[in-house]
Amino acid sequence: MPDSKDSASSAKSPTHPRILNSKRRSWPIVLFLSVMLPVVAAMVVYNLDSFDVAPMPLHELSPPPQPALLRNERMLQGAELLGVGKVQGPEDIAYDSRSGIIYTGSGDGWIKRVWLNESASDTVVENWVRTGGRPLGLALGLNNEVIVADAYKGLLNISRGGAIELLADEAEDLKFKLTDDVDVAKDGMIYFTDASHKYGLHEFIWDILEGRPYGRLMSFDPVSKRTKVLLSDLYFANGIALSPDQHYLLFCETPIRRRCRKYYIQGIKEGQVEKFIDNLPGLPDNIRYDGEGHYWIALATENTMFWDIAFRYPSVRKALAIIERLLGGVNMVKNSGVLAVDMDGKPVAQYQDVELKYVSTGMKIKNHLYCGSVFYPYIIRLNLDQYAAKARP
């Protein structure tokens, strides 16, 4: 029987110098391959991927405006949550001042009626009409009807009794893919946006990453039943709001450097487009006029270096598209909120919170700011007297 001490001594005998030298020579090769193989694989995937991205016309934009002097950067600290769990992603808000009711579209296809009360816990939410699609933008018509931009169904008219009428789902032989927002003029003309005629609601990120203008601004005449394309080749045409004098409307384009522009609907400038505000501090969604000289622009996320680089370099957006397809994307949405601007597009006040994301609309009703979102199961309400934006010290 071998001696146990001899066995232990044999087990601990030193490795042959030739083997050690071989290991020392091979580790740089292993390190090189471990670094380069993923790089080569990524390059192959990148070059084989068929997703075609385009440069964005960033040269069209002016320098960023001065930041709003008044700010509330933690608006959630004073906010109330209305209808918790009863609305799924209330993307937009339409307010009927005569009845005190808010209309909002929900992710389950219902248009909800929300009765406002002083106490958030007393908020009453009612399922009113189910469109069978995904209602986004809402506006009240001249006869108390609700005009709906439904992402899947198109432009809808819902009567006071709840009857649904399809007004339009195509223009110039091109179907709507993402009917987004709507407003109604005093003469009854309906103005609305189709964010993309290529990508639907659940594909919206591909529209933004591709960087091509598939959006349109349109009008619908309820008398002639005619749909007219006013502007095409827009970059994700989103929120829309008529001016109080009805001479022009404002429309927002989400990705192209975060801008809102004027389109004149009457007067000597009819048909012309002008800058209103661009280089916004975030990606704009809906825009609403408050009747007091201010437009409120919802910002789905703040602007970051990440978004700046992505919009500037098509190759970065293609890489993001590959990540989106393979891994489900990267969440770079934060510090969402609402920006109030005056009639000249000058920022006045900004409400935001680092914990907020995907705020899609902001509407001032009396002394409260109401915010909708495609993400949260409630409406956010903030008392503007108690939690007003303030100048930085």
Side-chain angles (χ1 to χ4, degrees):
M1 181 175 180
D3 186 74
S4 60
K5 290 184 178 181
D6 291 340
S7 299
S9 174
S10 174
K12 295 180 180 179
S13 61
T15 306
H16 195 282
R18 188 174 296 172
I19 298 175
L20 286 175
N21 289 336
S22 176
K23 288 182 177 180
R24 291 193 185 103
R25 286 195 300 268
S26 64
W27 78 260
I29 299 174
V30 173
L31 178 62
F32 175 79
L33 291 175
S34 65
V35 172
M36 290 306 298
L37 284 178
V39 173
V40 172
M43 291 176 64
V44 170
V45 171
Y46 181 92
N47 287 306
L48 292 178
D49 194 277
S50 61
F51 187 65
D52 185 27
V53 295
M56 290 183 172
L58 304 182
H59 62 278
E60 298 180 2
L61 304 169
S62 56
Q66 290 295 319
L69 294 177
L70 305 178
R71 303 179 71 86
N72 179 342
E73 297 180 337
R74 297 310 301 266
M75 64 176 286
L76 282 179
Q77 292 184 357
E80 300 173 283
L81 309 180
L82 309 183
V84 176
K86 298 177 181 177
V87 288
Q88 301 172 19
E91 199 270 349
D92 193 21
I93 291 169
Y95 176 61
D96 184 352
S97 58
R98 291 164 294 189
S99 63
I101 293 175
I102 278 180
Y103 292 86
T104 188
S106 183
D108 56 8
W110 283 95
I111 294 176
K112 313 269 185 169
R113 293 200 291 196
V114 183
W115 276 263
L116 301 180
N117 291 286
E118 289 193 15
S119 172
S121 60
D122 293 332
T123 302
V124 177
V125 179
E126 174 196 48
N127 289 341
W128 182 48
V129 174
R130 193 169 194 173
T131 67
R134 201 328 179 175
L136 296 178
L138 305 170
L140 298 180
L142 301 186
N143 299 306
N144 295 328
E145 71 273 29
V146 178
I147 309 300
V148 180
D150 189 296
Y152 300 125
K153 296 295 184 177
L155 187 68
L156 307 177
N157 179 308
I158 302 181
S159 70
R160 285 176 289 181
I164 301 175
E165 177 189 0
L166 174 64
L167 300 180
D169 62 359
E170 65 177 308
E172 297 181 350
D173 297 322
L174 199 58
K175 283 280 189 179
F176 308 156
K177 289 298 290 287
L178 210 173
T179 321
D180 198 298
D181 200 17
V182 63
D183 204 357
V184 180
K186 294 177 181 177
D187 62 2
M189 186 70 75
I190 300 169
Y191 296 91
F192 66 104
T193 54
D194 182 31
S196 176
H197 61 73
K198 181 177 180 179
Y199 296 101
L201 179 62
H202 288 91
E203 305 167 308
F204 80 93
I205 189 62
W206 301 107
D207 185 283
I208 292 175
L209 292 177
E210 183 177 328
R212 287 187 172 85
Y214 296 120
R216 294 184 291 176
L217 171 67
M218 290 168 281
S219 65
F220 177 82
D221 186 336
V223 177
S224 67
K225 308 295 183 182
R226 179 176 174 233
T227 302
K228 181 180 179 181
V229 177
L230 305 177
L231 292 174
S232 57
D233 298 329
L234 303 179
Y235 290 85
F236 204 86
N238 208 321
I240 184 174
L242 284 150
S243 66
D245 62 9
Q246 307 283 287
H247 286 173
Y248 63 87
L249 58 82
L250 301 178
F251 64 94
C252 298
E253 292 171 280
T254 298
I256 172 59
R257 270 314 227 180
R258 311 166 302 274
R259 71 183 178 189
C260 301
R261 293 192 285 170
K262 285 184 180 181
Y263 176 82
Y264 287 89
I265 57 177
Q266 60 176 289
I268 59 174
K269 292 185 176 182
E270 183 176 350
Q272 295 183 27
V273 179
E274 289 182 358
K275 169 194 167 182
F276 181 66
I277 184 173
D278 58 20
N279 270 312
L280 285 159
L283 305 187
D285 202 313
N286 290 330
I287 178 170
R288 294 289 173 261
Y289 181 65
D290 65 4
E292 301 174 357
H294 298 99
Y295 291 98
W296 295 76
I297 305 172
L299 302 176
T301 179
E302 72 172 350
N303 180 40
T304 62
M305 184 179 295
F306 168 84
W307 287 113
D308 270 342
I309 293 173
F311 291 143
R312 190 174 298 276
Y313 299 106
S315 58
V316 175
R317 280 183 276 119
K318 181 169 181 176
L320 290 172
I322 294 171
I323 294 172
E324 176 74 26
R325 183 179 294 115
L326 297 178
L327 303 177
V330 179
N331 183 15
M332 296 298 294
V333 177
K334 64 175 184 176
N335 225 358
S336 185
V338 185
L339 178 69
V341 302
D342 65 18
M343 299 298 292
D344 297 318
K346 179 182 177 182
V348 175
Q350 186 168 355
Y351 293 82
Q352 63 187 126
D353 198 290
V354 69
E355 300 296 329
L356 269 178
K357 54 186 177 181
Y358 293 118
V359 170
S360 51
T361 198
M363 174 178 283
K364 183 177 183 291
I365 302 174
K366 298 179 182 179
N367 65 332
H368 285 86
L369 173 63
Y370 291 81
C371 294
S373 166
V374 295
F375 183 76
Y376 299 108
Y378 46 74
I379 295 170
I380 299 169
R381 180 170 72 179
L382 184 71
N383 188 311
L384 295 178
D385 292 336
Q386 296 179 13
Y387 302 99
K390 297 179 180 179
R392 289 179 172 177

